[in-house]
Amino acid sequence: AQKVTQAQTEISVVEKEDVTLDCVYETRDTTYYLFWYKQPPSGELVFLIRRNSFDEQNEISGRYSWNFQKSTSSFNFTITASQVVDSAVYFCALSEYTGGFKTIFGAGTRLFVKA
Amino acid sequence: DTAVSQTPKYLVTQMGNDKSIKCEQNLGHDTMYWYKQDSKKFLKIMFSYNNKELIINETVPNRFSPKSPDKAHLNLHINSLELGDSAVYFCASSQDPQLTAKNIQYFGAGTRLSVL
């Protein structure tokens, strides 16, 4: 069965520190997508990134970077030089096709960035 | 323009009441979804509709009945509300139900339901 584990429930850092959010997933499918979403205190879900299972290239977008490793079934997210505005809950998610496009979310990691 | 809009944003009601949450998307997508986020922030899919037809139905009490009058709308009706129904409900849409490179789920802002 598919599963997404975010072992870190809460992380607290001081501004300008780098922080890595871990995500480990389980799936039997060879074709799947992995996502990261941000949920700021205002509550909406903001799409950050999607990777497909055939593309293990790491990605960098500004202060954000993602490390996808199929060998360890991990899709970790690093924020460099964190800022207070990065404070949010971050969700890792796995999408598969099981008769319909279905997304399984991890439990989320709450990130506090202190000034 | 808001891509996926849900109304109301907040809903406070008494146990036993029946209530509806509306969702509309203006993206021209064929597929829509409802997710529930509980008090511990855990997000779980409830339903998915493609072109007005139900394609995913997770283990959800039959007090919850989604209704899709057209592919741009997916409303969620809840009968006989219980305390445990208190949660944030998110609507989402995607181009189609297939797992393709073009497909991303776009989420609404959520509806916070409080059952007293």
Side-chain angles (χ1 to χ4, degrees):
Chain A
Q2 59 273 45
K3 187 178 172 183
V4 177
T5 302
Q6 295 179 254
Q8 304 147 309
T9 308
E10 287 187 2
I11 301 176
S12 186
V13 299
V14 177
E15 228 178 358
K16 296 184 186 173
E17 281 185 18
D18 298 346
V19 58
T20 295
L21 309 182
D22 297 334
C23 174
V24 174
Y25 63 92
E26 292 176 31
T27 178
R28 290 188 190 139
D29 282 7
T30 54
T31 303
Y32 53 88
Y33 282 83
L34 296 163
F35 299 79
W36 276 94
Y37 286 88
K38 174 182 179 180
Q39 188 174 40
S42 49
E44 72 272 23
L45 278 166
V46 178
F47 167 80
L48 295 178
I49 189 172
R50 177 189 58 202
R51 303 300 284 176
N52 76 53
S53 50
F54 301 107
D55 182 2
E56 282 191 77
Q57 272 196 331
N58 291 334
E59 180 147 344
I60 298 175
S61 175
R63 296 183 298 107
Y64 295 170
S65 61
W66 291 270
N67 184 339
F68 175 28
Q69 292 198 348
K70 284 178 80 168
S71 59
T72 54
S73 297
S74 65
F75 186 41
N76 296 338
F77 173 30
T78 298
I79 302 174
T80 304
S82 58
Q83 299 176 1
V84 172
V85 292
D86 296 328
S87 297
V89 180
Y90 290 87
F91 292 95
C92 181
L94 165 73
S95 286
E96 296 178 327
Y97 185 77
T98 53
F101 180 20
K102 184 173 164 180
T103 301
I104 306 295
F105 284 81
T109 297
R110 187 181 292 276
L111 175 65
F112 295 98
V113 181
K114 295 178 278 193
Chain B
D1 280 343
T2 304
V4 182
S5 57
Q6 298 179 224
T7 53
K9 192 169 173 61
Y10 300 97
L11 183 54
V12 181
T13 188
Q14 300 285 335
M15 234 171 31
N17 283 351
D18 303 338
K19 290 292 177 186
S20 291
I21 307 172
K22 295 185 177 180
C23 179
E24 175 181 4
Q25 52 93 4
N26 63 5
L27 297 165
H29 288 169
D30 287 345
T31 310
M32 296 183 72
Y33 312 79
W34 277 109
Y35 286 82
K36 178 180 179 180
Q37 186 176 41
D38 62 25
S39 57
K40 294 182 181 175
K41 294 288 190 181
F42 188 60
L43 259 164
K44 188 166 184 205
I45 190 166
M46 300 171 68
F47 301 102
S48 174
Y49 270 70
N50 184 56
N51 271 325
K52 304 190 295 176
E53 288 193 17
L54 182 67
I55 55 171
I56 292 176
N57 184 354
E58 293 296 290
T59 309
V60 177
N62 57 16
R63 298 182 295 104
F64 289 77
S65 52
K67 287 182 172 52
S68 184
D70 55 62
K71 69 177 190 178
H73 295 84
L74 181 62
N75 304 324
L76 183 63
H77 188 75
I78 315 171
N79 289 330
S80 304
L81 277 155
E82 299 177 358
L83 294 176
D85 297 331
S86 295
V88 180
Y89 292 85
F90 284 94
C91 178
S93 74
S94 65
Q95 187 164 338
D96 57 49
Q98 303 300 322
L99 198 62
T100 67
K102 294 183 291 185
N103 232 352
I104 295 175
Q105 282 178 317
Y106 293 84
F107 284 83
T111 295
R112 185 175 294 277
L113 172 64
S114 299
V115 182
L116 308 176

